Amino acid sequence: MRAHPLATDAVLALGALVSMVVGSFADPHGPHGPTFGTRTPEPFSLLLMLLGAAALVFRRRQPHAVLAVTVGLSLLELTTGEPRAPVAMSAVIALYTLASRTDRPTAGRIGVLTMAGMTGVAMLSGPLPWYAQENIGIFAWTGMAAAAGDAVRSRRAFVDAIRERAERAERTREEEARRRVAEERLRIARDLHDVVAHHIALVNVQAGVAAHVMDKRPDQAKEALAHVRDASRSALNELRATVGLLRQSGDPEAPTEPAPGLAVLDELVDSFRKAGLPVKVMMELGRDGDPLAAAVDLAAYRVIQEALTNVRKHAGQGARAEVSVVRVGASVEVTVLDDGGADGGAAEGPEGGGHGLLGMRERATALGGSCFAGPRYGGGYRVHAVLPVG
Protein backbone atom coordinates (compact mmCIF):
# COMPACT_ATOMS: atom_id res chain seq x y z
CA MET A 1 0.00 0.00 0.00
CA ARG A 2 2.89 2.36 0.74
CA ALA A 3 4.64 1.41 -2.48
CA HIS A 4 1.55 2.14 -4.62
CA PRO A 5 -0.48 4.89 -2.90
CA LEU A 6 -2.39 5.90 -6.02
CA ALA A 7 -3.61 2.33 -6.62
CA THR A 8 -4.61 2.07 -2.96
CA ASP A 9 -6.62 5.27 -3.19
CA ALA A 10 -8.27 4.03 -6.38
CA VAL A 11 -9.41 0.86 -4.58
CA LEU A 12 -10.72 2.99 -1.71
CA ALA A 13 -12.56 5.24 -4.15
CA LEU A 14 -14.15 2.22 -5.81
CA GLY A 15 -15.28 0.90 -2.41
CA ALA A 16 -16.73 4.32 -1.53
CA LEU A 17 -18.59 4.46 -4.85
CA VAL A 18 -20.11 1.01 -4.30
CA SER A 19 -21.15 1.98 -0.76
CA MET A 20 -22.75 5.24 -1.92
CA VAL A 21 -24.65 3.55 -4.75
CA VAL A 22 -25.87 0.73 -2.49
CA GLY A 23 -26.83 3.22 0.20
CA SER A 24 -28.83 5.31 -2.27
CA PHE A 25 -31.28 2.39 -2.67
CA ALA A 26 -32.07 2.31 1.06
CA ASP A 27 -35.01 4.27 2.49
CA PRO A 28 -34.47 5.24 6.17
CA HIS A 29 -38.16 6.18 6.54
CA GLY A 30 -39.84 2.84 5.85
CA PRO A 31 -42.96 1.77 7.76
CA HIS A 32 -40.97 -0.67 9.85
CA GLY A 33 -37.59 1.12 9.85
CA PRO A 34 -34.98 1.39 7.10
CA THR A 35 -35.85 -0.70 4.04
CA PHE A 36 -33.82 -1.56 0.99
CA GLY A 37 -35.00 -1.43 -2.62
CA THR A 38 -37.96 0.84 -2.11
CA ARG A 39 -36.34 3.80 -3.90
CA THR A 40 -33.90 4.40 -6.75
CA PRO A 41 -31.35 7.23 -7.12
CA GLU A 42 -31.70 9.82 -9.84
CA PRO A 43 -29.17 9.85 -12.72
CA PHE A 44 -27.87 13.22 -11.57
CA SER A 45 -27.21 11.78 -8.11
CA LEU A 46 -25.37 8.83 -9.66
CA LEU A 47 -23.21 11.31 -11.60
CA LEU A 48 -22.41 13.22 -8.40
CA MET A 49 -21.47 10.00 -6.61
CA LEU A 50 -19.21 8.99 -9.51
CA LEU A 51 -17.47 12.39 -9.52
CA GLY A 52 -17.01 12.33 -5.74
CA ALA A 53 -15.48 8.85 -5.84
CA ALA A 54 -13.19 9.85 -8.73
CA ALA A 55 -11.93 12.83 -6.73
CA LEU A 56 -10.94 10.51 -3.86
CA VAL A 57 -8.30 8.90 -6.06
CA PHE A 58 -6.17 12.04 -5.56
CA ARG A 59 -7.02 12.57 -1.87
CA ARG A 60 -3.41 12.25 -0.64
CA ARG A 61 -1.88 14.28 -3.46
CA GLN A 62 -4.25 17.25 -3.22
CA PRO A 63 -6.21 16.93 0.05
CA HIS A 64 -7.46 20.54 0.08
CA ALA A 65 -8.65 20.46 -3.51
CA VAL A 66 -10.31 17.04 -3.09
CA LEU A 67 -12.13 18.24 0.04
CA ALA A 68 -13.37 21.34 -1.78
CA VAL A 69 -14.64 19.27 -4.72
CA THR A 70 -16.37 16.63 -2.59
CA VAL A 71 -17.97 19.24 -0.31
CA GLY A 72 -19.24 21.11 -3.36
CA LEU A 73 -20.72 17.94 -4.82
CA SER A 74 -22.33 17.09 -1.46
CA LEU A 75 -23.88 20.55 -1.15
CA LEU A 76 -25.20 20.26 -4.66
CA GLU A 77 -26.82 16.93 -3.81
CA LEU A 78 -28.28 18.27 -0.55
CA THR A 79 -29.99 21.15 -2.35
CA THR A 80 -31.21 19.32 -5.48
CA GLY A 81 -31.49 15.62 -4.67
CA GLU A 82 -34.86 14.16 -3.80
CA PRO A 83 -34.53 11.66 -2.34
CA ARG A 84 -31.00 12.49 -1.21
CA ALA A 85 -28.15 10.13 -2.11
CA PRO A 86 -25.22 9.67 0.32
CA VAL A 87 -22.79 11.78 -1.72
CA ALA A 88 -21.59 13.27 1.58
CA MET A 89 -19.65 10.04 2.19
CA SER A 90 -16.94 11.24 -0.21
CA ALA A 91 -16.66 14.54 1.71
CA VAL A 92 -16.33 12.63 5.00
CA ILE A 93 -13.40 10.58 3.61
CA ALA A 94 -11.77 13.70 2.16
CA LEU A 95 -12.10 15.54 5.49
CA TYR A 96 -10.51 12.63 7.35
CA THR A 97 -7.60 12.62 4.88
CA LEU A 98 -6.97 16.34 5.24
CA ALA A 99 -7.15 16.22 9.06
CA SER A 100 -4.64 13.34 9.15
CA ARG A 101 -2.14 15.13 6.90
CA THR A 102 -2.14 18.70 8.21
CA ASP A 103 -1.59 20.44 11.55
CA ARG A 104 -4.21 20.54 14.31
CA PRO A 105 -5.22 24.24 13.98
CA THR A 106 -5.79 23.90 10.24
CA ALA A 107 -7.70 20.66 10.67
CA GLY A 108 -9.84 22.25 13.40
CA ARG A 109 -10.74 25.30 11.35
CA ILE A 110 -11.53 23.36 8.19
CA GLY A 111 -13.39 20.67 10.15
CA VAL A 112 -15.65 23.19 11.90
CA LEU A 113 -16.25 25.02 8.63
CA THR A 114 -17.16 21.79 6.82
CA MET A 115 -19.46 20.56 9.61
CA ALA A 116 -21.23 23.91 9.91
CA GLY A 117 -21.60 24.40 6.17
CA MET A 118 -22.87 20.95 5.26
CA THR A 119 -25.12 20.63 8.32
CA GLY A 120 -26.57 24.11 7.82
CA VAL A 121 -27.36 23.50 4.15
CA ALA A 122 -28.88 20.10 4.99
CA MET A 123 -31.12 21.62 7.67
CA LEU A 124 -32.23 24.62 5.63
CA SER A 125 -32.89 22.84 2.32
CA GLY A 126 -35.17 19.98 1.39
CA PRO A 127 -38.56 18.87 2.63
CA LEU A 128 -37.24 17.25 5.85
CA PRO A 129 -37.40 19.14 9.16
CA TRP A 130 -34.12 20.58 10.42
CA TYR A 131 -33.89 18.01 13.23
CA ALA A 132 -34.22 15.04 10.87
CA GLN A 133 -31.93 12.06 11.40
CA GLU A 134 -30.13 12.56 8.09
CA ASN A 135 -29.16 16.15 9.02
CA ILE A 136 -27.84 15.15 12.46
CA GLY A 137 -26.01 12.26 10.79
CA ILE A 138 -24.10 14.64 8.50
CA PHE A 139 -23.00 16.64 11.54
CA ALA A 140 -21.91 13.50 13.40
CA TRP A 141 -20.03 11.91 10.50
CA THR A 142 -18.10 15.04 9.55
CA GLY A 143 -17.17 15.64 13.21
CA MET A 144 -15.98 12.07 13.66
CA ALA A 145 -13.98 12.25 10.43
CA ALA A 146 -12.11 15.38 11.61
CA ALA A 147 -11.48 13.89 15.07
CA ALA A 148 -10.31 10.54 13.70
CA GLY A 149 -7.97 12.23 11.20
CA ASP A 150 -6.44 14.38 13.94
CA ALA A 151 -5.95 11.32 16.16
CA VAL A 152 -4.21 9.42 13.38
CA ARG A 153 -1.98 12.44 12.68
CA SER A 154 -1.07 12.74 16.36
CA ARG A 155 -0.19 9.07 16.65
CA ARG A 156 1.84 9.16 13.45
CA ALA A 157 3.77 12.18 14.75
CA PHE A 158 4.31 10.42 18.09
CA VAL A 159 5.66 7.28 16.41
CA ASP A 160 7.92 9.36 14.15
CA ALA A 161 9.26 11.26 17.17
CA ILE A 162 10.02 8.00 19.00
CA ARG A 163 11.74 6.58 15.92
CA GLU A 164 13.80 9.74 15.45
CA ARG A 165 14.75 9.76 19.14
CA ALA A 166 15.84 6.12 18.92
CA GLU A 167 17.91 6.78 15.81
CA ARG A 168 19.50 9.84 17.41
CA ALA A 169 20.29 7.86 20.56
CA GLU A 170 21.84 5.11 18.44
CA ARG A 171 23.99 7.65 16.58
CA THR A 172 25.01 9.22 19.89
CA ARG A 173 25.99 5.83 21.32
CA GLU A 174 28.06 5.03 18.25
CA GLU A 175 29.79 8.41 18.35
CA GLU A 176 30.46 8.04 22.08
CA ALA A 177 31.86 4.55 21.52
CA ARG A 178 34.16 5.80 18.76
CA ARG A 179 35.30 8.69 20.95
CA ARG A 180 36.06 6.39 23.87
CA VAL A 181 37.96 4.00 21.61
CA ALA A 182 40.05 6.89 20.24
CA GLU A 183 40.80 8.16 23.75
CA GLU A 184 41.75 4.69 24.94
CA ARG A 185 44.04 4.16 21.95
CA LEU A 186 45.73 7.48 22.65
CA ARG A 187 46.15 6.64 26.33
CA ILE A 188 47.64 3.22 25.59
CA ALA A 189 49.96 4.76 22.99
CA ARG A 190 51.20 7.27 25.58
CA ASP A 191 51.77 4.54 28.16
CA LEU A 192 53.64 2.34 25.70
CA HIS A 193 55.80 5.27 24.62
CA ASP A 194 56.66 6.17 28.20
CA VAL A 195 57.47 2.58 29.17
CA VAL A 196 59.52 1.77 26.08
CA ALA A 197 61.37 5.10 25.94
CA HIS A 198 62.36 4.97 29.59
CA HIS A 199 63.51 1.38 29.87
CA ILE A 200 65.11 1.12 26.44
CA ALA A 201 67.10 4.27 27.18
CA LEU A 202 68.39 2.71 30.39
CA VAL A 203 69.15 -0.56 28.64
CA ASN A 204 71.06 1.30 25.94
CA VAL A 205 73.14 3.23 28.46
CA GLN A 206 74.00 0.24 30.61
CA ALA A 207 74.79 -1.91 27.57
CA GLY A 208 77.18 0.79 26.38
CA VAL A 209 78.86 0.88 29.79
CA ALA A 210 79.20 -2.90 29.83
CA ALA A 211 80.77 -2.95 26.38
CA HIS A 212 83.20 -0.17 27.37
CA VAL A 213 84.51 -1.78 30.56
CA MET A 214 84.15 -5.45 29.62
CA ASP A 215 87.89 -6.07 29.24
CA LYS A 216 89.36 -3.81 31.94
CA ARG A 217 86.65 -3.92 34.63
CA PRO A 218 84.63 -7.14 34.37
CA ASP A 219 83.00 -6.54 37.77
CA GLN A 220 81.60 -3.20 36.64
CA ALA A 221 80.51 -4.76 33.34
CA LYS A 222 78.70 -7.49 35.30
CA GLU A 223 76.94 -4.84 37.38
CA ALA A 224 75.90 -2.94 34.23
CA LEU A 225 74.50 -6.13 32.70
CA ALA A 226 72.54 -6.74 35.90
CA HIS A 227 71.02 -3.28 35.49
CA VAL A 228 70.17 -4.17 31.88
CA ARG A 229 68.41 -7.30 33.10
CA ASP A 230 66.44 -5.36 35.75
CA ALA A 231 65.43 -2.66 33.29
CA SER A 232 64.31 -5.16 30.67
CA ARG A 233 62.34 -7.10 33.28
CA SER A 234 60.59 -3.90 34.41
CA ALA A 235 59.83 -3.02 30.79
CA LEU A 236 58.29 -6.43 30.18
CA ASN A 237 56.18 -6.22 33.35
CA GLU A 238 54.81 -2.78 32.45
CA LEU A 239 54.16 -3.83 28.87
CA ARG A 240 52.34 -6.92 30.12
CA ALA A 241 50.19 -4.78 32.42
CA THR A 242 49.37 -2.31 29.63
CA VAL A 243 48.59 -4.94 27.02
CA GLY A 244 46.54 -6.85 29.59
CA LEU A 245 43.96 -4.05 29.42
CA LEU A 246 43.21 -5.11 25.85
CA ARG A 247 42.20 -8.64 26.77
CA GLN A 248 38.68 -9.83 26.05
CA SER A 249 36.37 -11.28 28.68
CA GLY A 250 37.18 -14.85 27.65
CA ASP A 251 40.95 -14.39 27.66
CA PRO A 252 43.20 -15.56 30.51
CA GLU A 253 43.11 -13.41 33.62
CA ALA A 254 44.73 -10.03 33.15
CA PRO A 255 47.36 -8.64 35.56
CA THR A 256 45.96 -7.25 38.78
CA GLU A 257 48.87 -5.13 39.96
CA PRO A 258 48.10 -1.40 40.18
CA ALA A 259 49.36 1.15 37.70
CA PRO A 260 52.61 2.89 38.72
CA GLY A 261 52.40 6.12 40.67
CA LEU A 262 54.27 8.40 43.02
CA ALA A 263 54.39 5.61 45.60
CA VAL A 264 57.08 3.89 43.48
CA LEU A 265 58.85 7.11 42.49
CA ASP A 266 61.94 6.08 44.48
CA GLU A 267 62.31 2.94 42.38
CA LEU A 268 62.08 5.00 39.20
CA VAL A 269 64.68 7.48 40.42
CA ASP A 270 67.00 4.65 41.54
CA SER A 271 66.93 3.20 38.04
CA PHE A 272 68.19 6.51 36.65
CA ARG A 273 70.83 6.83 39.35
CA LYS A 274 72.11 3.37 38.48
CA ALA A 275 72.32 4.51 34.86
CA GLY A 276 74.64 7.35 35.91
CA LEU A 277 72.19 10.26 36.22
CA PRO A 278 72.27 11.99 39.63
CA VAL A 279 68.71 12.86 40.63
CA LYS A 280 67.58 14.89 43.62
CA VAL A 281 63.94 14.48 44.70
CA MET A 282 61.76 16.74 46.80
CA MET A 283 58.12 15.72 47.35
CA GLU A 284 55.60 17.54 49.55
CA LEU A 285 51.96 16.46 49.20
CA GLY A 286 50.66 18.00 52.43
CA ARG A 287 49.74 16.50 55.77
CA ASP A 288 46.05 15.92 55.21
CA GLY A 289 46.72 12.39 54.08
CA ASP A 290 44.27 12.52 51.16
CA PRO A 291 45.61 10.29 48.39
CA LEU A 292 45.75 11.59 44.85
CA ALA A 293 43.26 10.34 42.29
CA ALA A 294 44.60 7.39 40.32
CA ALA A 295 44.64 9.34 37.06
CA VAL A 296 46.52 12.26 38.62
CA ASP A 297 48.98 9.93 40.36
CA LEU A 298 49.71 8.08 37.13
CA ALA A 299 50.05 11.30 35.11
CA ALA A 300 52.54 12.77 37.59
CA TYR A 301 54.60 9.58 37.51
CA ARG A 302 54.62 9.45 33.71
CA VAL A 303 55.62 13.13 33.39
CA ILE A 304 58.58 12.57 35.69
CA GLN A 305 59.52 9.35 33.89
CA GLU A 306 59.45 10.98 30.45
CA ALA A 307 61.30 14.10 31.59
CA LEU A 308 64.12 12.10 33.23
CA THR A 309 64.32 9.86 30.18
CA ASN A 310 64.82 12.92 27.99
CA VAL A 311 67.52 14.19 30.35
CA ARG A 312 69.34 10.86 30.15
CA LYS A 313 69.05 10.69 26.37
CA HIS A 314 69.68 14.28 25.32
CA ALA A 315 71.58 16.13 28.08
CA GLY A 316 75.32 16.40 28.05
CA GLN A 317 77.89 14.48 30.06
CA GLY A 318 77.69 14.94 33.82
CA ALA A 319 74.12 16.26 33.73
CA ARG A 320 72.20 16.47 36.99
CA ALA A 321 68.45 16.50 37.48
CA GLU A 322 66.08 17.74 40.16
CA VAL A 323 62.52 16.53 40.68
CA SER A 324 59.96 18.29 42.82
CA VAL A 325 56.34 17.31 43.46
CA VAL A 326 54.43 19.90 45.50
CA ARG A 327 50.75 20.13 46.31
CA VAL A 328 49.59 23.73 45.98
CA GLY A 329 45.93 24.30 46.81
CA ALA A 330 43.74 22.25 44.50
CA SER A 331 46.56 21.11 42.21
CA VAL A 332 49.84 19.23 42.18
CA GLU A 333 52.83 20.90 40.52
CA VAL A 334 55.47 18.60 39.06
CA THR A 335 58.81 20.15 38.06
CA VAL A 336 61.83 18.42 36.51
CA LEU A 337 65.02 20.48 36.01
CA ASP A 338 68.41 19.61 34.58
CA ASP A 339 71.59 21.66 34.24
CA GLY A 340 72.41 20.49 30.73
CA GLY A 341 75.65 18.75 31.73
CA ALA A 342 79.14 19.89 30.84
CA ASP A 343 78.04 21.61 27.59
CA GLY A 344 74.92 23.15 29.14
CA GLY A 345 72.69 21.69 26.39
CA ALA A 346 68.93 21.28 26.66
CA ALA A 347 67.50 17.86 27.23
CA GLU A 348 64.99 18.17 24.40
CA GLY A 349 64.21 21.32 22.48
CA PRO A 350 61.22 22.16 20.32
CA GLU A 351 62.89 20.32 17.49
CA GLY A 352 63.18 17.11 19.52
CA GLY A 353 61.08 15.25 16.98
CA GLY A 354 59.70 12.72 19.47
CA HIS A 355 56.32 12.23 21.06
CA GLY A 356 57.46 12.66 24.67
CA LEU A 357 56.65 16.34 25.08
CA LEU A 358 53.37 15.91 23.23
CA GLY A 359 52.44 12.97 25.45
CA MET A 360 53.13 14.96 28.63
CA ARG A 361 50.99 17.85 27.42
CA GLU A 362 48.18 15.49 26.44
CA ARG A 363 48.21 13.83 29.85
CA ALA A 364 48.01 17.16 31.65
CA THR A 365 45.35 18.56 29.32
CA ALA A 366 43.20 15.44 29.66
CA LEU A 367 43.01 16.11 33.42
CA GLY A 368 42.24 19.80 32.98
CA GLY A 369 45.79 20.92 33.75
CA SER A 370 48.75 22.23 31.78
CA CYS A 371 52.33 21.34 30.96
CA PHE A 372 55.21 23.61 29.92
CA ALA A 373 58.60 22.46 28.68
CA GLY A 374 61.46 24.63 27.49
CA PRO A 375 65.15 25.56 27.87
CA ARG A 376 66.36 27.24 31.06
CA TYR A 377 68.30 30.44 31.15
CA GLY A 378 71.98 29.56 31.39
CA GLY A 379 71.56 26.03 30.07
CA GLY A 380 69.55 22.96 30.78
CA TYR A 381 65.87 22.25 30.44
CA ARG A 382 62.73 22.64 32.54
CA VAL A 383 59.48 20.66 32.54
CA HIS A 384 56.64 22.02 34.66
CA ALA A 385 53.20 20.36 34.86
CA VAL A 386 50.18 21.52 36.85
CA LEU A 387 47.67 18.71 37.56
CA PRO A 388 44.32 19.43 39.28
CA VAL A 389 43.85 17.17 42.31
CA GLY A 390 40.14 16.68 41.56
Side-chain angles (χ1 to χ4, degrees), residues 342-367:
D343 55 359
E348 183 174 339
E351 68 279 4
H355 297 283
L357 297 182
L358 179 61
M360 288 189 289
R361 293 192 183 100
E362 288 177 345
R363 287 184 183 277
T365 303
L367 297 175

Side-chain angles (χ1 to χ4, degrees), residues 197-285:
H198 164 60
H199 292 291
I200 296 302
L202 296 182
V203 168
N204 180 59
V205 171
Q206 296 294 345
V209 171
H212 182 69
V213 301
M214 180 67 72
D215 296 331
K216 298 180 180 180
R217 301 176 185 176
D219 294 340
Q220 188 175 354
K222 185 182 298 184
E223 182 180 356
L225 291 176
H227 293 326
V228 169
R229 181 186 58 201
D230 294 340
S232 60
R233 182 185 298 114
S234 298
L236 289 175
N237 290 336
E238 291 200 38
L239 285 174
R240 186 180 300 111
T242 302
V243 175
L245 299 175
L246 304 178
R247 294 181 183 273
Q248 302 294 329
S249 58
D251 293 342
E253 185 177 356
T256 57
E257 61 268 15
L262 296 179
V264 294
L265 181 60
D266 292 338
E267 299 178 9
L268 175 67
V269 172
D270 288 341
S271 66
F272 282 101
R273 288 170 178 165
K274 292 177 182 179
L277 175 65
V279 182
K280 183 184 297 184
V281 179
M282 191 276 288
M283 184 162 56
E284 180 60 45
L285 297 178

Side-chain angles (χ1 to χ4, degrees), residues 22 25-26 35 52 78 194 196 230 235 319 330 334 348 356 378:
V22 172
F25 285 91
T35 56
L78 291 175
D194 293 342
V196 173
D230 294 340
V334 179
E348 183 174 339

Side-chain angles (χ1 to χ4, degrees), residues 121-167:
V121 171
M123 289 181 176
L124 297 176
S125 63
L128 298 176
W130 65 271
Y131 52 84
Q133 181 180 356
E134 289 87 341
N135 300 335
I136 304 301
I138 292 176
F139 177 83
W141 280 106
T142 51
M144 287 189 296
D150 182 71
V152 170
R153 179 201 57 78
S154 298
R155 176 162 180 78
R156 187 183 297 125
F158 177 72
V159 172
D160 292 342
I162 292 179
R163 184 181 296 110
E164 181 183 359
R165 190 180 301 115
E167 293 175 353

Side-chain angles (χ1 to χ4, degrees), residues 83-216:
R84 292 173 178 173
V87 181
M89 183 184 294
S90 60
V92 170
I93 297 175
L95 179 59
Y96 162 82
T97 302
L98 187 140
S100 65
R101 304 181 71 85
T102 187
D103 56 279
R104 176 166 293 174
T106 302
R109 289 192 300 268
I110 296 179
V112 170
L113 214 79
T114 303
M115 285 189 296
M118 293 183 61
T119 305
V121 171
M123 289 181 176
L124 297 176
S125 63
L128 298 176
W130 65 271
Y131 52 84
Q133 181 180 356
E134 289 87 341
N135 300 335
I136 304 301
I138 292 176
F139 177 83
W141 280 106
T142 51
M144 287 189 296
D150 182 71
V152 170
R153 179 201 57 78
S154 298
R155 176 162 180 78
R156 187 183 297 125
F158 177 72
V159 172
D160 292 342
I162 292 179
R163 184 181 296 110
E164 181 183 359
R165 190 180 301 115
E167 293 175 353
R168 184 167 60 249
E170 185 67 23
R171 289 194 301 268
T172 303
R173 283 195 296 269
E174 293 177 356
E175 293 172 359
E176 179 67 14
R178 286 194 294 267
R179 185 185 65 81
R180 290 182 179 274
V181 168
E183 290 180 354
E184 187 66 13
R185 290 177 59 187
L186 183 61
R187 187 191 66 80
I188 293 174
R190 284 197 301 260
D191 285 346
L192 289 177
H193 173 271
D194 293 342
V195 171
V196 173
H198 164 60
H199 292 291
I200 296 302
L202 296 182
V203 168
N204 180 59
V205 171
Q206 296 294 345
V209 171
H212 182 69
V213 301
M214 180 67 72
D215 296 331
K216 298 180 180 180

